[in-house]
Amino acid sequence: MALGRAGPALALPLLLPRRPAGSGTAAAGSPQGPGAVVRVPWALRQRLQRGAQRRRRGQEEAAAPRPGKLLLRSRRPELSQPRWQTVGRWEQPPLVSAGWKHRKAYGDYFQLEPSQEAAPALQALPAEAGQGPTFAELGLQPALLAGLERLSIGRPTAVQRLAIPALRRGRSALCAAETGSGKTLAYLLPLLERLLGRPEAPAEAGGLRRQLRAPPAGPAVLLGTPGALREGLRRRFLALERLRWMVLDEVDSLMDESFTELLEEILAHAPLAAGAPRAAGPDEERTQVVVVGATFPAGLSETLSKFTDVSRFVNLSTQSLHRLPPHVLQKFVRLKGRDKLPELLQLLKERPSSGGAVLIFCNSASTVNWLGYILDDHKIKHLRLQGQMSAAARAGIFASFQKGDVSVLVCTDLASRGLDTSSVQLVVNYDFPDTLQDYLHRAGRVGRVGSKAPGAVVSFVTHRWDVDLVRKIETAARKRTGLPGMDSINKPSPKGG
């Protein structure tokens, strides 16, 4: 039997099912061999061959690495993204983590490659020529400049260039910048300058109660947690009538449900300023408020507006706020829960002794203790840090870690905020963080201002709800945008009337 027009044809065997004997009579003149033959015309054969070649060529091109340096490197090369490739704001890019909720995804991974060497905080603003102004050009006193020089602190970071001039003018401010960018020094330098301009007071000895009941005539600095401050206010051995400067540092932690009520009670006792100080006599001087954080939680402005006019605060934020650190390698690995421990042990044993300190984050104190026992069994020296320890024990453990006595610290999110971790070069999220804010804080433990190397972050992705967060991180990385759901400053809703 022939198909198509007359002409050159290709004979291909066509296997047909056998008919049982006596099932029917074959058509007259049809072949009676073991299989019938179908002849494919030459033109159709060429078309089929060209289609097969195109498919093979497309598969080879997809599997081949794309030219240029990569922004995102995937285990599946066709999903890698080069730096030159841009993704539109409303475009949905193909994600490596799109199928990570399927059981066949175990073992898959991708990593965000560093796109620059230096931390964003050390880069000059676009409007600034060269490296930006020096501390001297910001107007600081010679005594402070000498102290900075002794500490080998050369030039101000981006947030310091923004905050120091505004705070020296007495402005209240909402100051938001990425972790490890020098926020503490940004508000400490104006505060120290203000203290240097006041008369020096003799040192007072004695306990906290005695110092607070009979404070020195000159300036004094009080550091405290919300619980301790509220206790002092309730027992009336602490008064804030003479308070002239208030710093709310790590404000995302202070706005946690467990601290919100305490914070509001403290704010109610302070004579808060409404932005820039008004022209008033010395008896009417008000408190300058500085709110500092790497992430600003929802409801912050609403809370502050109960006690002061937030609209008169100056808003200070850096361009890298709420963005993934572009100078830090970040790897995400999809694993089963039982595979996390072998992966961690291999990571630690293969790490060279000169590779810097390691932070291993867990989501609970019980996991910290359990993992510590396992590391003991494998003769891996480490320290543990979690919230069930006393404050004195925690301080001693972290001091030992900072000195380099032990290079591995297993901890909870207690170590993700407010601690100097410039010696850390590897962060391992043994448990994936619960929120995107927690991920930014953990990732900010490496690649800080003053760190010797940018470092890396390795995250184990185990649960299905972890995948949801990873997809948001991957999407933000591909689009080069900030992480979703985190506004730098939450404006209070306008009041009617």
Side-chain angles (χ1 to χ4, degrees):
M1 176 171 55
L3 297 176
R5 302 173 183 174
L10 175 67
L12 295 177
L14 177 64
L15 301 180
L16 299 175
R18 292 186 179 182
R19 294 183 178 181
S23 61
T25 305
S30 61
Q32 297 295 326
V37 175
V38 176
R39 297 183 179 276
V40 180
W42 181 85
L44 178 59
R45 182 191 66 178
Q46 292 296 313
R47 195 157 57 246
L48 294 173
Q49 290 178 346
R50 285 195 297 269
Q53 291 174 356
R54 282 195 300 267
R55 286 193 296 271
R56 284 195 300 269
R57 189 163 52 250
Q59 293 173 355
E60 292 172 358
E61 291 175 356
R66 301 184 181 185
K69 295 182 178 180
L70 293 178
L71 174 71
L72 184 147
R73 185 184 304 276
S74 171
R75 181 186 181 186
R76 293 169 281 170
E78 66 272 14
L79 292 177
S80 296
Q81 180 174 331
R83 291 187 194 176
W84 52 261
Q85 183 178 348
T86 58
V87 179
R89 180 179 180 182
W90 307 110
E91 183 180 354
Q92 179 58 45
L95 301 179
V96 178
S97 55
W100 275 16
K101 290 190 177 182
H102 196 279
R103 58 183 178 83
K104 291 185 178 181
Y106 292 120
D108 198 10
Y109 67 86
F110 70 91
Q111 65 186 35
L112 307 180
E113 300 286 342
S115 58
Q116 62 188 53
E117 295 182 1
L122 297 176
Q123 295 180 336
L125 298 177
E128 296 173 349
Q131 295 180 319
T134 63
F135 283 111
E137 293 170 341
L138 294 178
L140 294 178
Q141 295 185 17
L144 294 177
L145 298 177
L148 292 170
E149 185 176 357
R150 286 194 298 270
L151 295 173
S152 300
I153 300 177
R155 286 185 172 271
T157 63
V159 65
Q160 292 163 6
R161 294 192 294 267
L162 290 172
I164 291 175
L167 299 184
R168 289 184 71 244
R169 292 193 298 267
R171 297 295 304 271
S172 290
L174 299 171
C175 181
E178 66 274 13
T179 58
S181 59
K183 294 187 296 295
T184 304
L185 201 60
Y187 67 76
L188 271 184
L189 288 174
L191 171 60
L192 293 174
E193 185 176 56
R194 188 168 178 178
L195 292 175
L196 289 174
R198 291 174 177 264
E200 184 176 356
E204 290 285 335
L208 175 63
R209 182 186 297 268
R210 177 180 173 183
Q211 295 181 46
L212 294 177
R213 280 182 172 174
V221 178
L222 176 63
L223 305 177
T225 60
L229 292 176
R230 186 183 70 167
E231 190 70 14
L233 291 169
R234 285 186 171 183
R235 295 190 179 188
R236 298 187 179 181
F237 61 80
L238 172 62
L240 302 181
E241 285 81 5
R242 295 195 302 159
L243 184 66
R244 296 296 173 259
W245 184 290
M246 174 182 283
V247 178
L248 303 178
D249 202 355
E250 301 293 346
V251 70
D252 57 334
S253 295
L254 294 178
M255 287 296 296
D256 185 80
E257 292 181 358
S258 57
F259 290 127
T260 303
E261 183 179 347
L262 303 178
L263 180 62
E264 291 188 1
E265 187 171 342
I266 295 169
L267 293 174
H269 284 80
L272 298 185
R278 300 175 302 222
D283 295 337
E284 298 180 7
E285 187 179 358
R286 299 273 178 164
T287 305
Q288 181 179 356
V289 183
V290 183
V291 183
V292 185
T295 56
F296 275 12
L300 171 62
S301 291
E302 285 76 5
T303 299
L304 293 176
S305 63
K306 297 177 182 178
F307 310 97
T308 185
D309 184 3
V310 183
S311 64
R312 298 185 63 183
F313 280 45
V314 59
N315 299 331
L316 308 171
S317 61
T318 58
Q319 294 180 342
S320 300
L321 180 66
H322 298 159
R323 292 178 179 265
L324 298 166
H327 59 301
V328 175
L329 186 146
Q330 300 163 73
K331 185 174 183 179
F332 302 84
V333 187
R334 183 73 166 103
L335 293 173
K336 294 182 179 179
R338 64 175 183 234
D339 295 333
K340 291 200 299 183
L341 182 58
E343 191 76 16
L344 175 65
L345 294 175
Q346 182 179 0
L347 192 63
L348 294 177
K349 292 179 179 179
E350 292 179 352
R351 186 166 178 80
S353 57
S354 59
V358 181
L359 278 179
I360 304 173
F361 280 103
C362 304
N363 287 348
S364 66
S366 58
T367 306
V368 169
N369 295 331
W370 172 82
L371 190 56
Y373 299 143
I374 301 297
L375 296 182
D376 285 336
D377 291 341
H378 286 81
K379 311 300 181 185
I380 297 177
K381 294 183 179 180
H382 68 282
L383 294 169
R384 307 173 201 172
L385 185 67
Q386 37 95 347
Q388 295 179 355
M389 301 174 175
S390 65
R394 296 197 301 264
I397 289 171
F398 193 76
S400 179
F401 178 71
Q402 279 187 310
K403 288 189 295 184
D405 298 338
V406 179
S407 62
V408 177
L409 179 65
V410 185
C411 55
T412 60
D413 281 313
L414 192 68
S416 68
R417 291 169 170 83
L419 298 176
D420 179 20
T421 56
S422 55
S423 63
V424 175
Q425 294 187 22
L426 175 63
V427 166
V428 180
N429 288 320
Y430 185 82
D431 292 331
F432 201 79
D434 293 328
T435 65
L436 296 177
Q437 290 92 333
D438 290 337
Y439 178 82
L440 280 182
H441 281 286
R442 292 184 183 185
R445 296 304 99 193
V446 293
R448 301 172 68 82
V449 174
S451 298
K452 295 181 179 179
V457 180
V458 178
S459 300
F460 298 157
V461 183
T462 307
H463 303 291
R464 294 173 64 89
W465 54 87
D466 297 339
V467 176
D468 294 330
L469 295 180
V470 173
R471 288 174 180 172
K472 295 178 180 179
I473 293 173
E474 184 182 355
T475 301
R478 290 183 180 273
K479 292 186 175 183
R480 297 176 176 89
T481 60
L483 294 178
M486 291 186 291
D487 295 332
S488 60
I489 293 173
N490 300 279
K491 293 290 185 183
S493 56
K495 298 179 181 179

